Short mmCIF file of all heavy atoms in Angstrom, two decimals:
data_model
loop_
_atom_site.label_atom_id
_atom_site.label_comp_id
_atom_site.label_asym_id
_atom_site.label_seq_id
_atom_site.Cartn_x
_atom_site.Cartn_y
_atom_site.Cartn_z
N THR A 14 39.49 -12.90 -34.95
CA THR A 14 40.39 -11.81 -35.34
C THR A 14 41.77 -12.09 -34.73
O THR A 14 41.91 -12.70 -33.67
CB THR A 14 39.87 -10.43 -34.89
OG1 THR A 14 39.76 -10.41 -33.46
CG2 THR A 14 38.54 -10.11 -35.52
N GLY A 15 42.81 -11.62 -35.43
CA GLY A 15 44.16 -11.84 -34.96
C GLY A 15 44.49 -13.32 -34.83
O GLY A 15 45.08 -13.76 -33.84
N ALA A 16 44.13 -14.08 -35.86
CA ALA A 16 44.33 -15.54 -35.77
C ALA A 16 45.60 -16.00 -36.46
O ALA A 16 45.83 -17.20 -36.60
CB ALA A 16 43.11 -16.26 -36.36
N SER A 17 46.44 -15.06 -36.90
CA SER A 17 47.68 -15.47 -37.55
C SER A 17 48.71 -15.99 -36.56
O SER A 17 49.61 -16.75 -36.94
CB SER A 17 48.28 -14.30 -38.34
OG SER A 17 48.35 -13.14 -37.54
N ARG A 18 48.60 -15.57 -35.30
CA ARG A 18 49.62 -15.94 -34.31
C ARG A 18 48.99 -16.15 -32.93
O ARG A 18 47.81 -15.85 -32.73
CB ARG A 18 50.68 -14.81 -34.21
CG ARG A 18 51.40 -14.58 -35.51
CD ARG A 18 52.48 -13.52 -35.41
NE ARG A 18 51.94 -12.16 -35.49
CZ ARG A 18 52.06 -11.26 -34.52
NH1 ARG A 18 52.66 -11.55 -33.40
NH2 ARG A 18 51.55 -10.05 -34.68
N GLY A 19 49.79 -16.62 -32.00
CA GLY A 19 49.45 -16.60 -30.59
C GLY A 19 48.13 -17.27 -30.23
O GLY A 19 47.80 -18.38 -30.69
N ILE A 20 47.37 -16.61 -29.36
CA ILE A 20 46.12 -17.17 -28.83
C ILE A 20 45.10 -17.39 -29.95
O ILE A 20 44.38 -18.39 -29.95
CB ILE A 20 45.57 -16.24 -27.72
CG1 ILE A 20 46.51 -16.24 -26.50
CG2 ILE A 20 44.15 -16.65 -27.32
CD1 ILE A 20 46.23 -15.14 -25.48
N GLY A 21 45.06 -16.47 -30.91
CA GLY A 21 44.11 -16.61 -32.02
C GLY A 21 44.41 -17.86 -32.84
O GLY A 21 43.50 -18.60 -33.22
N ARG A 22 45.68 -18.08 -33.11
CA ARG A 22 46.05 -19.28 -33.88
C ARG A 22 45.70 -20.56 -33.10
O ARG A 22 45.13 -21.49 -33.66
CB ARG A 22 47.54 -19.28 -34.19
CG ARG A 22 47.98 -20.61 -34.78
CD ARG A 22 49.47 -20.70 -35.01
NE ARG A 22 49.86 -19.98 -36.21
CZ ARG A 22 51.11 -19.94 -36.66
NH1 ARG A 22 52.07 -20.55 -36.01
NH2 ARG A 22 51.40 -19.29 -37.78
N ASN A 38 41.26 -13.97 -39.49
CA ASN A 38 41.61 -12.57 -39.71
C ASN A 38 43.05 -12.31 -39.22
O ASN A 38 43.52 -12.94 -38.28
CB ASN A 38 40.64 -11.64 -38.98
CG ASN A 38 41.18 -10.23 -38.82
OD1 ASN A 38 41.69 -9.87 -37.76
ND2 ASN A 38 41.14 -9.46 -39.88
N TYR A 39 43.71 -11.36 -39.87
CA TYR A 39 45.04 -10.89 -39.45
C TYR A 39 45.21 -9.51 -40.04
O TYR A 39 44.40 -9.09 -40.90
CB TYR A 39 46.13 -11.85 -39.95
CG TYR A 39 46.21 -11.92 -41.46
CD1 TYR A 39 47.17 -11.18 -42.16
CD2 TYR A 39 45.30 -12.69 -42.18
CE1 TYR A 39 47.21 -11.22 -43.55
CE2 TYR A 39 45.34 -12.73 -43.56
CZ TYR A 39 46.28 -11.98 -44.23
OH TYR A 39 46.29 -12.00 -45.60
N SER A 40 46.26 -8.78 -39.61
CA SER A 40 46.43 -7.43 -40.20
C SER A 40 47.56 -7.36 -41.19
O SER A 40 47.40 -6.80 -42.27
CB SER A 40 46.62 -6.37 -39.10
OG SER A 40 47.71 -6.69 -38.30
N ASN A 41 48.72 -7.95 -40.89
CA ASN A 41 49.89 -7.79 -41.76
C ASN A 41 50.57 -9.09 -42.17
O ASN A 41 51.08 -9.19 -43.27
CB ASN A 41 50.98 -6.96 -41.03
CG ASN A 41 50.54 -5.54 -40.83
OD1 ASN A 41 50.11 -4.88 -41.78
ND2 ASN A 41 50.63 -5.06 -39.59
N ASN A 42 50.57 -10.03 -41.27
CA ASN A 42 51.46 -11.17 -41.41
C ASN A 42 50.79 -12.33 -42.17
O ASN A 42 50.35 -13.32 -41.59
CB ASN A 42 51.89 -11.62 -40.01
CG ASN A 42 53.13 -12.48 -40.04
OD1 ASN A 42 53.40 -13.15 -41.04
ND2 ASN A 42 53.86 -12.49 -38.96
N GLU A 43 50.77 -12.17 -43.50
CA GLU A 43 50.05 -13.16 -44.31
C GLU A 43 50.70 -14.55 -44.22
O GLU A 43 50.01 -15.57 -44.19
CB GLU A 43 50.01 -12.71 -45.78
CG GLU A 43 49.20 -13.69 -46.63
CD GLU A 43 49.14 -13.30 -48.10
OE1 GLU A 43 49.31 -12.12 -48.42
OE2 GLU A 43 48.91 -14.22 -48.91
N ALA A 45 52.21 -15.92 -41.70
CA ALA A 45 51.77 -16.58 -40.46
C ALA A 45 50.31 -17.00 -40.56
O ALA A 45 49.93 -18.07 -40.10
CB ALA A 45 51.97 -15.62 -39.28
N ALA A 46 49.48 -16.17 -41.19
CA ALA A 46 48.06 -16.54 -41.35
C ALA A 46 47.93 -17.79 -42.20
O ALA A 46 47.08 -18.66 -41.93
CB ALA A 46 47.29 -15.37 -41.97
N THR A 49 48.55 -20.72 -40.07
CA THR A 49 47.36 -21.05 -39.26
C THR A 49 46.36 -21.82 -40.11
O THR A 49 45.79 -22.83 -39.67
CB THR A 49 46.69 -19.77 -38.71
OG1 THR A 49 47.62 -19.07 -37.91
CG2 THR A 49 45.47 -20.12 -37.86
N LEU A 63 41.02 -13.88 -43.97
CA LEU A 63 40.22 -12.66 -43.99
C LEU A 63 41.08 -11.49 -43.52
O LEU A 63 40.97 -11.04 -42.37
CB LEU A 63 39.00 -12.81 -43.06
CG LEU A 63 38.02 -13.94 -43.42
CD1 LEU A 63 37.07 -14.20 -42.26
CD2 LEU A 63 37.24 -13.56 -44.68
N PRO A 64 41.98 -10.98 -44.40
CA PRO A 64 42.85 -9.89 -43.97
C PRO A 64 42.05 -8.62 -43.68
O PRO A 64 41.00 -8.39 -44.28
CB PRO A 64 43.78 -9.69 -45.17
CG PRO A 64 43.07 -10.30 -46.34
CD PRO A 64 42.19 -11.39 -45.78
N GLY A 65 42.56 -7.80 -42.76
CA GLY A 65 41.89 -6.52 -42.50
C GLY A 65 42.21 -5.99 -41.13
O GLY A 65 42.34 -6.76 -40.17
N ASN A 66 42.33 -4.67 -41.06
CA ASN A 66 42.59 -3.98 -39.79
C ASN A 66 41.27 -3.83 -39.04
O ASN A 66 40.35 -3.20 -39.55
CB ASN A 66 43.21 -2.61 -40.12
CG ASN A 66 43.50 -1.80 -38.87
OD1 ASN A 66 43.14 -2.17 -37.75
ND2 ASN A 66 44.18 -0.68 -39.07
N VAL A 67 41.20 -4.39 -37.82
CA VAL A 67 39.94 -4.32 -37.07
C VAL A 67 39.53 -2.89 -36.72
O VAL A 67 38.38 -2.65 -36.37
CB VAL A 67 39.98 -5.17 -35.78
CG1 VAL A 67 40.11 -6.65 -36.10
CG2 VAL A 67 41.07 -4.69 -34.83
N ALA A 68 40.47 -1.96 -36.80
CA ALA A 68 40.14 -0.57 -36.47
C ALA A 68 39.60 0.22 -37.67
O ALA A 68 39.38 1.42 -37.55
CB ALA A 68 41.38 0.12 -35.88
N GLU A 69 39.42 -0.44 -38.80
CA GLU A 69 38.87 0.24 -39.99
C GLU A 69 37.48 -0.33 -40.28
O GLU A 69 37.34 -1.50 -40.65
CB GLU A 69 39.79 0.03 -41.20
CG GLU A 69 41.09 0.82 -41.07
CD GLU A 69 42.04 0.52 -42.22
OE1 GLU A 69 41.63 -0.10 -43.23
OE2 GLU A 69 43.21 0.92 -42.08
N MET A 76 35.15 -7.97 -44.05
CA MET A 76 35.62 -9.25 -43.48
C MET A 76 34.44 -10.15 -43.09
O MET A 76 34.42 -11.35 -43.40
CB MET A 76 36.51 -8.94 -42.27
CG MET A 76 36.77 -10.04 -41.33
SD MET A 76 37.91 -9.44 -40.04
CE MET A 76 36.76 -8.89 -38.79
N ASN A 92 36.78 -12.18 -30.54
CA ASN A 92 37.29 -10.81 -30.62
C ASN A 92 38.67 -10.80 -29.99
O ASN A 92 38.84 -10.41 -28.82
CB ASN A 92 36.32 -9.92 -29.80
CG ASN A 92 36.01 -8.61 -30.47
OD1 ASN A 92 36.70 -8.18 -31.39
ND2 ASN A 92 34.96 -7.98 -29.99
N ASN A 93 39.65 -11.26 -30.75
CA ASN A 93 40.96 -11.57 -30.17
C ASN A 93 42.06 -10.57 -30.52
O ASN A 93 42.98 -10.39 -29.73
CB ASN A 93 41.37 -12.98 -30.64
CG ASN A 93 42.80 -13.31 -30.29
OD1 ASN A 93 43.11 -13.60 -29.14
ND2 ASN A 93 43.69 -13.26 -31.27
N ALA A 94 41.98 -9.92 -31.68
CA ALA A 94 43.08 -9.02 -32.09
C ALA A 94 43.30 -7.97 -31.01
O ALA A 94 42.35 -7.36 -30.52
CB ALA A 94 42.74 -8.36 -33.42
N GLY A 95 44.56 -7.77 -30.64
CA GLY A 95 44.86 -6.78 -29.62
C GLY A 95 46.34 -6.48 -29.63
O GLY A 95 47.15 -7.31 -30.07
N ILE A 96 46.71 -5.28 -29.17
CA ILE A 96 48.11 -4.87 -29.18
C ILE A 96 48.51 -4.25 -27.84
O ILE A 96 47.67 -3.76 -27.10
CB ILE A 96 48.40 -3.86 -30.31
CG1 ILE A 96 47.51 -2.61 -30.18
CG2 ILE A 96 48.23 -4.51 -31.68
CD1 ILE A 96 47.92 -1.47 -31.12
N VAL A 97 49.81 -4.32 -27.56
CA VAL A 97 50.39 -3.53 -26.47
C VAL A 97 51.42 -2.60 -27.09
O VAL A 97 51.68 -2.63 -28.28
CB VAL A 97 51.06 -4.41 -25.39
CG1 VAL A 97 50.06 -5.33 -24.70
CG2 VAL A 97 52.21 -5.20 -25.96
N ARG A 113 46.53 4.58 -30.80
CA ARG A 113 46.68 3.29 -31.48
C ARG A 113 46.13 2.14 -30.60
O ARG A 113 45.42 1.28 -31.10
CB ARG A 113 48.17 3.08 -31.77
CG ARG A 113 48.47 2.04 -32.83
CD ARG A 113 49.91 2.06 -33.25
NE ARG A 113 50.85 1.68 -32.20
CZ ARG A 113 51.72 2.47 -31.61
NH1 ARG A 113 51.80 3.75 -31.97
NH2 ARG A 113 52.52 2.04 -30.66
N ASP A 116 42.28 2.58 -30.47
CA ASP A 116 41.68 2.30 -31.78
C ASP A 116 41.58 0.79 -32.02
O ASP A 116 40.55 0.30 -32.49
CB ASP A 116 42.52 2.93 -32.91
CG ASP A 116 42.21 4.40 -33.12
OD1 ASP A 116 41.27 4.90 -32.48
OD2 ASP A 116 42.92 5.02 -33.94
N THR A 117 42.64 0.08 -31.75
CA THR A 117 42.65 -1.37 -32.02
C THR A 117 41.86 -2.13 -30.97
O THR A 117 40.98 -2.93 -31.30
CB THR A 117 44.11 -1.89 -32.05
OG1 THR A 117 44.86 -1.13 -32.98
CG2 THR A 117 44.15 -3.37 -32.42
N ASN A 118 42.18 -1.89 -29.71
CA ASN A 118 41.66 -2.75 -28.64
C ASN A 118 40.21 -2.42 -28.25
O ASN A 118 39.50 -3.31 -27.77
CB ASN A 118 42.54 -2.65 -27.40
CG ASN A 118 43.95 -3.19 -27.64
OD1 ASN A 118 44.29 -3.59 -28.74
ND2 ASN A 118 44.77 -3.17 -26.61
N GLY A 121 38.11 -1.11 -32.38
CA GLY A 121 38.11 -2.29 -33.25
C GLY A 121 37.26 -3.41 -32.68
O GLY A 121 36.44 -4.03 -33.38
N ASN A 146 35.17 -12.48 -26.11
CA ASN A 146 36.04 -11.31 -26.15
C ASN A 146 37.32 -11.59 -25.36
O ASN A 146 37.26 -12.16 -24.27
CB ASN A 146 35.33 -10.11 -25.52
CG ASN A 146 34.10 -9.67 -26.29
OD1 ASN A 146 34.12 -9.64 -27.51
ND2 ASN A 146 33.04 -9.32 -25.58
N LEU A 147 38.46 -11.13 -25.90
CA LEU A 147 39.71 -11.26 -25.17
C LEU A 147 39.96 -9.99 -24.37
O LEU A 147 40.27 -8.94 -24.93
CB LEU A 147 40.88 -11.54 -26.13
CG LEU A 147 41.19 -13.01 -26.39
CD1 LEU A 147 41.77 -13.69 -25.16
CD2 LEU A 147 39.97 -13.78 -26.84
N SER A 148 39.84 -10.14 -23.05
CA SER A 148 40.20 -9.08 -22.11
C SER A 148 41.63 -9.35 -21.67
O SER A 148 42.44 -9.92 -22.41
CB SER A 148 39.20 -9.11 -20.95
OG SER A 148 39.60 -8.22 -19.94
N SER A 149 41.97 -8.99 -20.45
CA SER A 149 43.29 -9.25 -19.89
C SER A 149 43.22 -9.08 -18.38
O SER A 149 42.44 -8.26 -17.88
CB SER A 149 44.31 -8.24 -20.44
OG SER A 149 45.53 -8.33 -19.72
N ALA A 150 44.08 -9.82 -17.68
CA ALA A 150 44.20 -9.59 -16.23
C ALA A 150 44.57 -8.14 -15.95
O ALA A 150 44.26 -7.60 -14.87
CB ALA A 150 45.23 -10.52 -15.64
N ALA A 151 45.18 -7.47 -16.93
CA ALA A 151 45.53 -6.06 -16.76
C ALA A 151 44.31 -5.21 -16.44
O ALA A 151 44.42 -4.18 -15.76
CB ALA A 151 46.22 -5.54 -18.02
N TYR A 160 51.64 -0.34 -18.89
CA TYR A 160 50.70 0.16 -19.90
C TYR A 160 49.31 0.30 -19.33
O TYR A 160 48.44 -0.50 -19.56
CB TYR A 160 50.69 -0.69 -21.17
CG TYR A 160 51.20 -2.10 -21.10
CD1 TYR A 160 50.50 -3.07 -20.38
CD2 TYR A 160 52.36 -2.46 -21.77
CE1 TYR A 160 50.95 -4.37 -20.35
CE2 TYR A 160 52.81 -3.78 -21.74
CZ TYR A 160 52.11 -4.71 -21.03
OH TYR A 160 52.56 -6.01 -21.01
N TYR A 163 46.66 0.24 -22.13
CA TYR A 163 46.21 -1.11 -22.49
C TYR A 163 45.25 -1.66 -21.44
O TYR A 163 44.21 -2.24 -21.77
CB TYR A 163 47.45 -2.01 -22.61
CG TYR A 163 47.17 -3.48 -22.80
CD1 TYR A 163 46.90 -4.01 -24.04
CD2 TYR A 163 47.21 -4.34 -21.71
CE1 TYR A 163 46.65 -5.37 -24.22
CE2 TYR A 163 46.97 -5.70 -21.86
CZ TYR A 163 46.69 -6.21 -23.11
OH TYR A 163 46.45 -7.56 -23.27
N SER A 166 41.96 -0.22 -21.87
CA SER A 166 41.29 -0.72 -23.09
C SER A 166 40.65 -2.08 -22.83
O SER A 166 39.59 -2.39 -23.35
CB SER A 166 42.28 -0.78 -24.27
OG SER A 166 43.15 -1.91 -24.18
N LYS A 167 41.28 -2.87 -21.97
CA LYS A 167 40.74 -4.20 -21.66
C LYS A 167 39.59 -4.11 -20.65
O LYS A 167 38.67 -4.94 -20.68
CB LYS A 167 41.85 -5.12 -21.18
CG LYS A 167 42.87 -5.44 -22.29
CD LYS A 167 42.20 -6.14 -23.48
CE LYS A 167 43.18 -6.61 -24.53
NZ LYS A 167 42.53 -7.32 -25.64
N VAL A 191 37.32 -13.78 -21.83
CA VAL A 191 38.41 -14.50 -21.18
C VAL A 191 39.48 -13.47 -20.85
O VAL A 191 39.83 -12.62 -21.68
CB VAL A 191 38.99 -15.58 -22.12
CG1 VAL A 191 40.22 -16.23 -21.51
CG2 VAL A 191 37.93 -16.64 -22.40
N ARG A 192 39.98 -13.56 -19.60
CA ARG A 192 41.06 -12.66 -19.18
C ARG A 192 42.35 -13.47 -19.01
O ARG A 192 42.59 -14.02 -17.94
CB ARG A 192 40.74 -12.07 -17.81
CG ARG A 192 39.96 -10.80 -17.78
CD ARG A 192 40.18 -10.20 -16.39
NE ARG A 192 39.12 -9.33 -16.01
CZ ARG A 192 38.40 -9.47 -14.90
NH1 ARG A 192 38.59 -10.49 -14.09
NH2 ARG A 192 37.48 -8.59 -14.61
N PRO A 193 43.19 -13.53 -20.06
CA PRO A 193 44.46 -14.23 -19.90
C PRO A 193 45.39 -13.47 -18.95
O PRO A 193 45.28 -12.24 -18.79
CB PRO A 193 45.06 -14.25 -21.31
CG PRO A 193 43.91 -13.91 -22.22
CD PRO A 193 43.01 -13.04 -21.43
N GLY A 194 46.31 -14.22 -18.35
CA GLY A 194 47.36 -13.59 -17.54
C GLY A 194 48.62 -13.47 -18.36
O GLY A 194 48.64 -12.83 -19.41
N LEU A 195 49.69 -14.14 -17.92
CA LEU A 195 50.98 -14.06 -18.61
C LEU A 195 51.11 -15.26 -19.53
O LEU A 195 51.44 -16.37 -19.09
CB LEU A 195 52.10 -14.02 -17.56
CG LEU A 195 52.05 -12.75 -16.72
CD1 LEU A 195 52.66 -12.99 -15.35
CD2 LEU A 195 52.74 -11.60 -17.45
N ILE A 196 50.84 -15.04 -20.81
CA ILE A 196 50.79 -16.14 -21.77
C ILE A 196 51.96 -16.00 -22.73
O ILE A 196 52.25 -14.89 -23.22
CB ILE A 196 49.45 -16.09 -22.56
CG1 ILE A 196 48.25 -15.98 -21.59
CG2 ILE A 196 49.33 -17.32 -23.47
CD1 ILE A 196 48.12 -17.10 -20.57
N ASP A 197 52.59 -17.12 -23.02
CA ASP A 197 53.80 -17.13 -23.83
C ASP A 197 53.47 -16.95 -25.32
O ASP A 197 53.24 -17.93 -26.03
CB ASP A 197 54.53 -18.45 -23.60
CG ASP A 197 55.86 -18.49 -24.32
OD1 ASP A 197 56.34 -17.41 -24.72
OD2 ASP A 197 56.40 -19.59 -24.51
N THR A 198 53.41 -15.71 -25.77
CA THR A 198 53.19 -15.38 -27.18
C THR A 198 54.14 -14.23 -27.57
O THR A 198 54.84 -13.67 -26.72
CB THR A 198 51.75 -14.91 -27.47
OG1 THR A 198 51.59 -13.60 -26.91
CG2 THR A 198 50.70 -15.86 -26.89
N GLU A 199 54.06 -13.82 -28.84
CA GLU A 199 54.94 -12.75 -29.33
C GLU A 199 54.51 -11.36 -28.88
O GLU A 199 55.20 -10.37 -29.13
CB GLU A 199 54.98 -12.81 -30.86
CG GLU A 199 55.66 -14.06 -31.38
CD GLU A 199 55.49 -14.26 -32.89
OE1 GLU A 199 54.87 -13.41 -33.55
OE2 GLU A 199 55.99 -15.29 -33.38
N ILE A 200 53.35 -11.24 -28.20
CA ILE A 200 52.87 -9.91 -27.83
C ILE A 200 53.86 -9.21 -26.89
O ILE A 200 54.01 -7.99 -26.94
CB ILE A 200 51.45 -9.98 -27.20
CG1 ILE A 200 50.72 -8.63 -27.35
CG2 ILE A 200 51.49 -10.42 -25.75
CD1 ILE A 200 49.24 -8.67 -26.97
N HIS A 201 54.57 -9.99 -26.07
CA HIS A 201 55.48 -9.39 -25.09
C HIS A 201 56.69 -8.77 -25.79
O HIS A 201 57.18 -7.73 -25.37
CB HIS A 201 55.89 -10.43 -24.05
CG HIS A 201 54.69 -11.05 -23.39
ND1 HIS A 201 53.90 -10.38 -22.50
CD2 HIS A 201 54.11 -12.27 -23.57
CE1 HIS A 201 52.89 -11.16 -22.12
NE2 HIS A 201 52.99 -12.30 -22.75
N SER A 203 56.53 -7.44 -28.69
CA SER A 203 56.06 -6.18 -29.29
C SER A 203 55.97 -5.08 -28.24
O SER A 203 55.95 -3.90 -28.58
CB SER A 203 54.72 -6.39 -30.01
OG SER A 203 53.70 -6.70 -29.08
N ARG A 209 59.06 -11.41 -20.83
CA ARG A 209 58.15 -10.94 -19.78
C ARG A 209 57.28 -12.07 -19.21
O ARG A 209 57.14 -12.20 -17.99
CB ARG A 209 57.26 -9.81 -20.34
CG ARG A 209 56.28 -9.24 -19.33
CD ARG A 209 55.54 -8.03 -19.89
NE ARG A 209 54.54 -7.56 -18.94
CZ ARG A 209 53.31 -8.03 -18.88
NH1 ARG A 209 52.93 -8.98 -19.72
NH2 ARG A 209 52.46 -7.59 -17.98
N ALA A 210 56.69 -12.89 -20.10
CA ALA A 210 55.79 -13.94 -19.60
C ALA A 210 56.58 -14.95 -18.76
O ALA A 210 56.09 -15.37 -17.70
CB ALA A 210 55.09 -14.63 -20.78
N GLY A 223 51.49 -19.17 -18.90
CA GLY A 223 50.54 -20.07 -19.55
C GLY A 223 50.85 -20.19 -21.03
O GLY A 223 51.64 -19.42 -21.58
N ALA A 225 49.35 -20.48 -25.12
CA ALA A 225 48.19 -20.06 -25.95
C ALA A 225 47.15 -21.17 -25.99
O ALA A 225 45.94 -20.90 -26.00
CB ALA A 225 48.67 -19.71 -27.36
N VAL A 228 44.75 -21.09 -23.08
CA VAL A 228 43.72 -20.05 -23.19
C VAL A 228 42.67 -20.50 -24.22
O VAL A 228 41.46 -20.33 -24.01
CB VAL A 228 44.34 -18.69 -23.58
CG1 VAL A 228 43.25 -17.63 -23.68
CG2 VAL A 228 45.41 -18.28 -22.60
N ILE A 232 38.41 -20.51 -24.41
CA ILE A 232 37.69 -19.79 -25.47
C ILE A 232 36.77 -20.75 -26.22
O ILE A 232 35.58 -20.44 -26.45
CB ILE A 232 38.69 -19.15 -26.46
CG1 ILE A 232 39.52 -18.07 -25.75
CG2 ILE A 232 37.96 -18.58 -27.67
CD1 ILE A 232 40.69 -17.52 -26.59
N VAL A 250 42.09 -16.70 -16.89
CA VAL A 250 42.98 -17.83 -17.21
C VAL A 250 44.39 -17.32 -16.94
O VAL A 250 45.12 -16.92 -17.85
CB VAL A 250 42.79 -18.30 -18.67
CG1 VAL A 250 43.67 -19.53 -18.97
CG2 VAL A 250 41.32 -18.65 -18.96
P1 NDP B 302 50.02 -11.75 -30.56
O1 NDP B 302 50.80 -10.47 -30.56
O2 NDP B 302 50.75 -13.04 -30.47
O3 NDP B 302 49.07 -11.80 -31.87
C1 NDP B 302 48.28 -10.69 -32.16
C2 NDP B 302 47.39 -11.01 -33.32
O4 NDP B 302 46.53 -9.88 -33.55
C3 NDP B 302 48.11 -11.24 -34.62
O5 NDP B 302 47.44 -12.24 -35.33
C4 NDP B 302 48.02 -9.90 -35.34
O6 NDP B 302 48.06 -9.99 -36.75
C5 NDP B 302 46.64 -9.47 -34.90
N1 NDP B 302 46.41 -8.02 -34.97
C6 NDP B 302 47.07 -7.03 -34.33
N2 NDP B 302 46.54 -5.84 -34.64
C7 NDP B 302 45.50 -6.07 -35.50
C8 NDP B 302 44.57 -5.28 -36.17
N3 NDP B 302 44.59 -3.94 -36.04
N4 NDP B 302 43.66 -5.87 -36.97
C9 NDP B 302 43.64 -7.23 -37.13
N5 NDP B 302 44.51 -8.05 -36.50
C10 NDP B 302 45.42 -7.48 -35.70
O7 NDP B 302 48.94 -11.61 -29.37
P2 NDP B 302 48.39 -12.68 -28.30
O8 NDP B 302 47.99 -13.91 -28.99
O9 NDP B 302 49.31 -12.71 -27.15
O10 NDP B 302 47.09 -11.89 -27.78
C11 NDP B 302 45.78 -12.16 -28.26
C12 NDP B 302 44.80 -11.38 -27.39
O11 NDP B 302 44.94 -11.79 -26.02
C13 NDP B 302 45.01 -9.87 -27.39
O12 NDP B 302 43.77 -9.21 -27.37
C14 NDP B 302 45.77 -9.61 -26.10
O13 NDP B 302 45.58 -8.31 -25.60
C15 NDP B 302 45.16 -10.67 -25.20
N6 NDP B 302 46.00 -11.01 -24.06
C16 NDP B 302 47.23 -11.62 -24.25
C17 NDP B 302 48.01 -11.91 -23.16
C18 NDP B 302 49.36 -12.56 -23.27
O14 NDP B 302 50.06 -12.66 -22.25
N7 NDP B 302 49.77 -13.02 -24.43
C19 NDP B 302 47.58 -11.56 -21.78
C20 NDP B 302 46.28 -10.94 -21.72
C21 NDP B 302 45.54 -10.68 -22.82
P3 NDP B 302 49.47 -9.95 -37.58
O15 NDP B 302 50.11 -11.28 -37.38
O16 NDP B 302 49.05 -9.72 -39.00
O17 NDP B 302 50.27 -8.86 -36.99
#
Side-chain angles (χ1 to χ4, degrees):
T14 61
S17 50
R18 298 182 279 118
I20 293 168
R22 170 185 282 182
N38 162 260
Y39 63 99
S40 57
N41 292 309
N42 198 334
E43 184 181 337
T49 301
L63 299 166
N66 180 352
V67 295
E69 289 176 11
M76 163 177 93
N92 222 343
N93 171 75
I96 58 170
V97 298
R113 199 169 65 248
D116 277 354
T117 305
N118 295 2
N146 295 319
L147 269 291
S148 173
S149 169
Y160 20 69
Y163 172 84
S166 77
K167 293 300 186 177
V191 174
R192 270 199 205 124
L195 294 153
I196 310 302
D197 184 17
T198 72
E199 293 169 2
I200 203 170
H201 305 288
S203 67
R209 180 174 176 273
V228 181
I232 295 171
V250 183

